[in-house]
Amino acid sequence: MLNFDVSLPKVLAYEGGFTKDSHDPGNWTGGKVGVGKLKGTNRGISAAAYPNLDIANLTAADVAPLYRHDYWDAVAANLLPAGVDHATFDGAVNSGVSRSSKWLQKAVKVSTDGKVGGKTIAAAVSFQAGAAALVRAVCSQRTSFLHGLSNWVRYGKGWAARVADVEAFGVKLALAAAGASPAAIKVDAEQQSAVAKTSATRHTAGAGVTATAGVADGSQVDVSNVDAGQADQLVNLILGGVLIGAVVLVAWFVWRAHVQRQRAAAYAASAKGT
C-alpha cells in the first residue's frame, strides 16, 4: 500500500468525526433531506454513500478498507510517485475520484478522461520537474477548480487550508522518497513558506493598488466633446465597466493572497514537523 498508511490519517483528520445534521442531504440514507434514515456522517463516510453501515459507530479500522478500495485504489495511488499519491487520494476523497484524476491529468498534460490509467501513470512517473513539482501542480489545479465554485465564499478558507496542507505534506513525501535528508526537507519547506509569504504580501498590495486605480480611472473620464444626454450615459457605462473590472481584479488579488498565506502557514508547520 506504500503511503496509504501515512496518508489516511491526514485525510481522516480533515474528514472529522460523527455529525448528524438533518439539513445535510449526505446524512440521509436516501441522499436527500428527509428521505430514508438520518444516520449521519462519520470519518467522512456518509449515510448517503453507505446507507447500510452503522455510521455512528464506525472506527478508523472500519473505514480504512473503504478508503483504500473506493479512493486510494480507484486513483491507482500505489502506482503514482510518492507525494503525488497523497495529493490525488485526498482530492478524490474531498471532490470525487474523477475530478481528482482530472487534476492530475491536467498537471501532466494528458487527456482528461477522469480515469488514472497507463498513460497518466507513465506521465506522472516521468514528470520532468520531479514529483515534488507535480504535487504542487496538482494542488494548484485543485485550488483553481475550488475557487470557481459558487460556495467558495463560504468554504474557501477551509478548502485553501486543506489543499495547502496536502501540498506541504505531499512535497515532504516526494522529497523523502527521492532521498532528501530531513534537514534538506526542512530547508525546502522553510524556503517555500518564505516565497509564499512574499507572494501573499505582493498580492495584497496589488489588491490595494488596483482598487485605488479603479476609482481614479473612473473619475478621470473625459466627455467634454459629447452632448449632455449622451455624456451621462457614456460616463455611467465607462464607470460601470471600470469599476466592475477593478472589482474582479481586486477579488483575484485577494484570493491569491489568501491562498499564498495558507501555503506559507502549511509549509512553516511542515518545517517544524507539525
Side-chain angles (χ1 to χ4, degrees):
M1 293 184 290
L2 299 181
N3 284 324
F4 178 75
D5 291 335
V6 296
S7 185
L8 181 61
K10 297 287 288 185
V11 172
L12 291 180
Y14 278 111
E15 292 303 310
F18 179 63
T19 60
K20 200 174 182 180
D21 181 1
S22 62
H23 298 289
D24 185 345
N27 289 335
W28 293 84
T29 57
K32 295 181 180 180
V33 173
V35 178
K37 295 181 179 180
L38 178 62
K39 286 189 173 182
T41 296
N42 194 1
R43 303 175 190 272
I45 301 300
S46 70
Y50 301 90
N52 297 320
L53 294 182
D54 181 7
I55 301 296
N57 294 307
L58 288 175
T59 66
D62 292 330
V63 303
L66 300 176
Y67 276 101
R68 184 172 61 246
H69 178 270
D70 294 350
Y71 300 104
W72 183 267
D73 291 346
V75 296
N78 271 6
L79 301 177
L80 297 175
V84 180
D85 52 5
H86 175 67
T88 309
F89 171 50
D90 186 86
V93 171
N94 194 216
S95 297
V97 169
S98 177
R99 180 57 60 190
S100 187
S101 299
K102 289 178 180 179
W103 295 329
L104 172 61
Q105 290 171 330
K106 286 184 178 180
V108 297
K109 294 179 171 52
V110 298
S111 177
T112 54
D113 61 0
K115 299 178 181 178
V116 177
K119 289 184 178 180
T120 303
I121 294 167
V125 171
S126 62
F127 193 70
Q128 188 171 9
L134 181 52
V135 170
R136 296 186 180 106
V138 169
C139 289
S140 178
Q141 289 287 341
R142 181 177 177 181
T143 301
S144 295
F145 172 82
L146 293 174
H147 179 245
L149 298 179
S150 60
N151 48 358
W152 170 269
V153 174
R154 173 172 293 185
Y155 301 112
K157 183 177 181 180
W159 289 344
R162 177 169 180 165
V163 177
D165 186 62
V166 168
E167 178 184 328
F169 186 67
V171 167
K172 179 182 286 188
L173 292 176
L175 293 177
S181 68
I185 294 173
K186 179 179 180 181
V187 169
D188 178 81
E190 291 172 339
Q191 291 175 340
Q192 290 296 326
S193 179
V195 170
K197 187 175 181 180
T198 298
S199 180
T201 300
R202 186 173 66 251
H203 282 97
T204 298
V209 170
T210 301
T212 302
V215 173
D217 288 346
S219 66
Q220 295 175 10
V221 177
D222 182 6
V223 292
S224 58
N225 295 320
V226 182
D227 68 63
Q230 292 178 327
D232 288 341
Q233 295 179 0
L234 182 59
V235 167
N236 288 335
L237 287 172
I238 294 175
L239 285 176
V242 169
L243 291 176
I244 290 173
V247 168
V248 170
L249 192 53
V250 167
W252 182 86
F253 275 122
V254 170
W255 164 58
R256 292 306 304 168
H258 174 69
V259 168
Q260 294 302 322
R261 281 195 296 270
Q262 296 292 345
R263 292 183 70 247
Y267 275 108
S270 180
K272 294 178 181 179
T274 57

